[in-house]
């Protein structure tokens, strides 16, 4: 994530954006790899304590790409010091923590954003635009799954497998992405019924979950995520069916949106000049990469910081990060209770 | 279904099978269309009361393709009269009724089969063979969905929308197929958590359901079926993930099985001489159609009648039809109770 | 081919066609396998000399599925005796021979047809209909290739590898199909520039050819066929580009036609009630097989024999077989001369 | 191209490469858009005469992305002044001009490279590695086509449609790419037979060509390129068949290589750590974009300038640019002569 963000920040230097970031300071836990990262990615300085950055007057934007367990503390400290904050997903290890981050960021009046970069895939934004334009009619079904396979062979010492650092396993890691897409494309979720499994022996977090969900607008859906689905490197896929047509997407074919009318799916290569974000990129048919979605995301963020645009609705705020966390918590709860679980959202705490 | 079965029965006349059916008698409710069907499909005679067939000494096999509500009565009557019975799916409108059919057929000692024709798709049989051979290792995930779109424009007078004739809507119609495939490929289901919706106004049966399921062997899965999924004519699709590899199938590409090793899916066109059922068909690369799966099914059935083979495990018996019905009932129950529902199966009633 | 034709003739017994064939007599060279074929496919009698059939008053249609070298003699004899004739492709081993067949069939006044069954694939007929309706605008490009891989391991004793029996290798076998499709979809070919190779050691006919072609209407195209293209069982594929849109087809996905507008290809599953030949087949989304194209072809032929319809333009007459043979001859000539070769067609000989 | 190169040069600042470029000077014909480009892409200065750059001591690498007609003069001037030179494809408007560039660059002893960026697509490099490792056995067929559709609506004032600035139309633009891939993957071409068409009224260069080719190793192939193929934004696709297996690629799915064994194609997502160039990029399954191929290309070039690696065989030198130009010239000649044309290559002129 440090690499993806660093390179996207650098790429902003050649884009038509209202603010071009300077790479002031990078932090990390261990001096040596940190210095290598600093040198390679072009940061001016490196510090082993993020508190230095939070206190640093030169820092205008705090970009939090650390393990989930430090999202809340560092992001809140940064916000309190008046820094704008971008925090990677999942926003926190619990909904309560995420709610706190949202409250503090709002109280501080800074720009805040949760790093749901798939909202910045041109095909995903196009999906949202088609939905808003009524091209699919009224939505009736939604299904999403996020399948990877690296979990089978992964080093068990990874922080992602440590509940203390990661919170949950695949739910917060991959599940959070599809929950956010469900919210972005269909609307608020009101209940969930889930089951989950830890498949690889000795693993301390879940590798797999399945769920049915209900949305506020009555739509039913399914969600599934796995780190142990052989044959899939990064299949983040969703499909929506509406009364007039359908949409489907797969992140392994990032530049394609399948769009149907009543009968037939057509493959839309989302690289035409009129497609979202394409003013930054290439001629028709020349695709963008996964890394480029971070460039789109950061371009959106600096636009918000410059006051040209709002983070919401196309970027995820800390509120979105919090609401996603409520769903993730409900998935865990439902699996434990073996029941359909209602999801409740708390409003912003009054000051 | 009458057309599909009639033509498959005719096709057996040019296959290397131990028995070749004669088309003795076709029944139907209305004389005129019945006579047209008789003449076109080559049946010797037509009767408007199936009781005549059940009593007819010339009839050896009773092939029940009528509406769901008459499956039990006619099939039981035929079995009691010593006819072998093939009954279309869903076997009955309730699990209780299906259990009765199973009991009676066993008591009569006739060959009985439920018309789950997707088991006779070469790619599906190949999937089963690969699983039995351990090619995928231990199964960890299963997901299936069956999506059609004709429900939006369908004539509401159809028997399939009448609870009295059909029992359920999409659950018994499309859901039964994927429940059967789940059982055939993964094993017995032990619990389900489902939601369902009637989407088209004035419709009296459900158009859509979603479910998570648990299998006896611990596997989690998802099931979904819809008649109102725009862009899909007949997407009966499943995917299995195992510790060594994965499989996926879509009935719209009936002759293909996608098979992965740890990393990559390969497209297997299931038309090679060594593939299941291909001794009946064409040179490599020359595909079979949906109608041909009934020919495969009926060839299997006449093999069982001739004593060359057993219906199980590759054909579905009435027991399979009954067990599928228990799952369908549990889907309805779970949706009503908003809870994960345990599925229980009754053994064969002692005589 | 005997199997495919026999089963399609049988299938006509359950179709709404003006004439239903009776399977009177099958011929073959060797008594024993011939008798097995007769018994399995349901022919009344078997003869080892086709002359008996040609003289047989009971025979109304002579269906010639023998090796290429006997196409001309037997078909002409049958026509002279007043039999309608269906002859498998390639119509003959040379254009001269094919021209003779055409002349004789016309002189005899019988219905004649060349077995280009791909014209009877619903997706191919739909392609033609879309072209006629002007959906693609003016055609500008055409490309077709037909790739198989069985040639690597094939028994070299096969008649298809014997120039005396087959004429050419892949040109007459697979090339003839794509030449016919080019003619059916785009128009007459006027010149060709080709190269060919015999790749498998000791093979006596070519395994592979490539060609560029020009059509009478100015369109340029490419043709290619191979029996040694690993990974392809039966990839008979073409693509057309027009001023308004494009079409593409692949026989391994026989029920799909990809159709584009100016920008996007949509996948049309050619199984809707309004699609060609679907009155004979199944509900939407339930595909037909390769064998079913012969049923469509024979239904067309019996319609022509019954006087309900003409063979042309949707069926290939002997004239079409002859014109295709001129192109095949020109491919061979061009490869020998290493030059672009003009193709000339002879009119019907005056009586 | 200025945008693609500028951003790739910038991206090198965050990569592990032996030299990191500084963006010293950008040139262009018109002051105002040039200044906008300079400011946006981060160049230090802008000049309206490339002669200033050629004479500039600070310039170590001359990156020529201008219209084809100025490739030769500017590149030669730069080389003579000791600058390393990267020149976009086609290297020149004629083979004679390209040969001259090669001669001069060699004489000057500078590092020279032709901008065939598709060699730097991970899937293309992987194809080459699989071929070198003998995974496909002996190559028997090759086919490539490059189809775009923007030509229908394009502004006819574009330099690409002006023979004086572009030389040829689609041949030098898209054809050059597939000729280079043919050479990179299969070997030297020895003859070609081509036809071409100008389809859009009033256009002064060809929009479409088709060709058959022969390679030194006996392989036959086909080449085709068009700017007026509806439905295709950037379909740069090739397929190779060998005695053991096959490969296919399509630039619209840039991160996928289809690889077959004797029977089945598997989809390789070329994003695993072991895949070419992936040390620069993302975790498995997270794809690269078209722009990233220029980063890979420039990383290769700076490696060569730093003496760590040679441009050849994985990068295209001016010799490769020249040899490609001979094929392009032969395509034009063959189309005019309507004959198979032998391609002859001139060695480097002796000093």
């Amino acid at each position: 994530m440090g690499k993806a963000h660093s390179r996207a920040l650098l790429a902003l230097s050649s884009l038509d954006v209202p603010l071009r970031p300077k790479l002031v300071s990078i932090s990390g836990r261990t001096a040596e790899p940190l210095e290598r990262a600093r040198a390679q990615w072009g940061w001016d300085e490196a510090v082993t304590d993020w508190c230095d950055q939070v206190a640093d007057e030169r820092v205008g934007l705090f970009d939090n790409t650390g393990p989930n367990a430090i999202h809340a503390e560092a992001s809140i400290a940064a916000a309190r010091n008046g820094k704008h904050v971008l925090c990677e997903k999942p926003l926190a290890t619990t909904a309560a923590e995420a709610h706190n981050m949202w409250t503090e960021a709002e109280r501080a009046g800074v720009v805040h954003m949760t790093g749901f970069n798939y909202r910045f895939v041109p095909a995903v934004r196009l999906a949202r635009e088609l939905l808003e334009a009524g091209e699919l009619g009224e939505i009736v079904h939604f299904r999403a799954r996020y399948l990877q396979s690296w979990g089978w062979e992964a080093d068990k010492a990874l922080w992602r497998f440590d509940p203390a650092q990661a919170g949950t396993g695949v739910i917060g890691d991959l599940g959070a992405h599809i929950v956010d897409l469900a919210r972005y494309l269909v609307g608020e979720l009101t209940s969930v019924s889930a089951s989950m499994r830890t498949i690889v022996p000795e693993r301390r977090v879940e590798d797999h979950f399945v769920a049915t969900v209900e949305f506020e607008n009555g739509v039913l859906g399914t969600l599934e995520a796995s780190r142990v689905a052989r044959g899939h490197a990064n299949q983040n896929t969703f499909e929506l069916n509406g009364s007039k047509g359908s949409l489907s997407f797969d992140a392994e074919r990032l530049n394609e949106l399948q769009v149907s009318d009543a009968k037939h799916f057509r493959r839309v290569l989302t690289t035409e000049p009129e497609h979202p974000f394409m003013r930054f990129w290439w001629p028709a048919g020349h695709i963008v990469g996964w890394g480029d979605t971070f460039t789109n995301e950061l371009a959106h963020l600096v636009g918000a910081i410059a006051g040209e645009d709002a983070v919401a609705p196309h970027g995820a705020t800390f509120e979105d990060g919090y609401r996603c966390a409520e769903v993730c918590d409900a998935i865990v709860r439902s699996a434990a209770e073996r029941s359909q679980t209602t999801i409740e959202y708390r409003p912003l705490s009054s000051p």
Side-chain angles (χ1 to χ4, degrees), chain A:
Chain A
M1 275 299 141
K3 180 176 172 180
H5 282 243
S6 296
R7 287 167 68 170
L9 288 163
L10 176 67
L12 291 190
S13 309
S14 66
L15 255 57
D16 183 20
V17 285
L19 290 173
R20 289 183 171 180
K22 291 187 60 176
L23 280 64
V24 174
S25 169
I26 185 174
S27 62
R29 279 174 290 191
T30 325
E32 200 192 0
L34 174 64
E35 171 52 26
R36 276 204 307 275
R38 189 208 62 72
Q40 176 160 338
W41 301 336
W43 293 85
D44 288 343
E45 74 177 32
V47 297
T48 51
D49 187 345
W50 54 260
C51 295
D52 296 347
Q53 298 175 312
V54 163
D56 190 332
E57 289 195 354
R58 297 168 306 163
V59 172
L61 168 64
F62 186 79
D63 184 353
N64 192 339
T65 64
N68 306 343
I70 67 157
H71 285 181
E73 186 185 358
S75 296
I76 288 170
R80 285 181 174 170
N81 277 15
K83 316 300 186 198
H84 304 298
V85 190
L86 168 61
C87 183
E88 262 305 317
K89 41 59 55 185
L91 186 57
T93 57
T94 64
E97 211 174 54
H99 192 272
N100 205 21
M101 292 169 76
W102 174 34
T103 301
E104 293 279 355
E106 277 294 311
R107 190 170 291 160
V110 298
V111 172
H112 48 89
M113 193 165 170
T114 309
F116 286 118
N117 66 303
Y118 283 99
R119 292 187 179 209
F120 294 93
V121 172
V124 172
R125 172 72 76 93
L126 178 61
R128 165 93 182 205
E129 291 177 5
L130 292 172
L131 288 165
E132 286 181 349
E135 295 276 327
L136 304 200
E138 196 179 339
I139 300 307
V140 297
H141 312 328
F142 177 76
R143 64 197 70 87
R145 60 172 183 262
Y146 200 149
L147 304 181
Q148 298 183 337
S149 55
W150 59 275
W152 286 109
E153 283 84 18
D155 178 356
K156 70 177 180 180
L158 266 184
W159 70 260
R160 291 185 183 280
F161 299 138
D162 175 4
Q165 291 188 77
T168 55
V170 75
I171 293 170
D173 183 11
L174 308 185
H177 272 303
I178 58 178
V179 167
D180 183 65
L181 290 174
R183 293 185 63 253
Y184 183 54
L185 297 169
V186 184
E188 219 59 74
L189 288 85
T190 53
S191 80
V192 62
S193 179
S195 296
M196 64 195 216
R197 289 281 186 276
T198 302
I199 286 163
V200 177
E202 301 183 44
R203 184 143 300 162
R204 291 175 294 156
V205 291
E206 81 290 350
D207 295 310
H208 179 226
F209 83 91
V210 292
T212 62
V213 294
E214 290 179 319
F215 291 85
E216 208 167 64
N217 53 17
V219 171
L220 295 182
T222 62
L223 303 177
E224 177 177 6
S226 173
R227 287 164 167 168
V228 292
R230 291 289 193 199
H232 297 291
N234 194 43
Q235 191 192 48
N236 178 358
T237 183
F238 64 78
E239 181 170 328
L240 279 145
N241 308 106
S243 55
K244 291 187 191 168
S246 297
L247 285 178
S248 81
F249 169 79
D250 178 351
E252 293 189 1
R253 289 180 171 165
L254 195 76
N255 294 260
E256 300 180 27
L257 188 68
Q258 301 283 342
V259 185
S260 91
D261 54 19
K263 294 218 170 148
H264 306 123
F265 276 91
R266 62 186 184 278
R267 169 182 173 262
V268 177
L269 197 63
T270 58
T271 57
E272 300 289 325
E274 70 270 21
H275 286 141
F277 308 110
M278 279 302 126
R279 69 185 186 282
F280 294 149
W281 304 104
W282 316 117
H286 297 73
I287 70 167
V288 303
W290 175 80
D292 301 332
T293 66
F294 290 92
T295 306
N296 295 338
E297 177 180 281
L298 284 158
H300 182 78
L301 177 60
V302 298
I305 291 171
E308 290 198 340
D309 206 353
V311 169
H314 293 304
T317 62
F318 276 12
E319 179 176 6
D320 292 302
Y322 156 67
R323 286 174 169 264
C324 175
E326 284 287 7
V327 180
C328 291
D329 281 12
I331 288 171
V332 174
R333 214 158 58 232
S334 165
E337 296 170 359
R338 301 181 63 82
S339 183
Q340 294 188 23
T341 297
T342 299
I343 308 166
E344 289 182 12
Y345 303 94
R346 293 163 50 209
L348 197 61
S349 311
S350 46

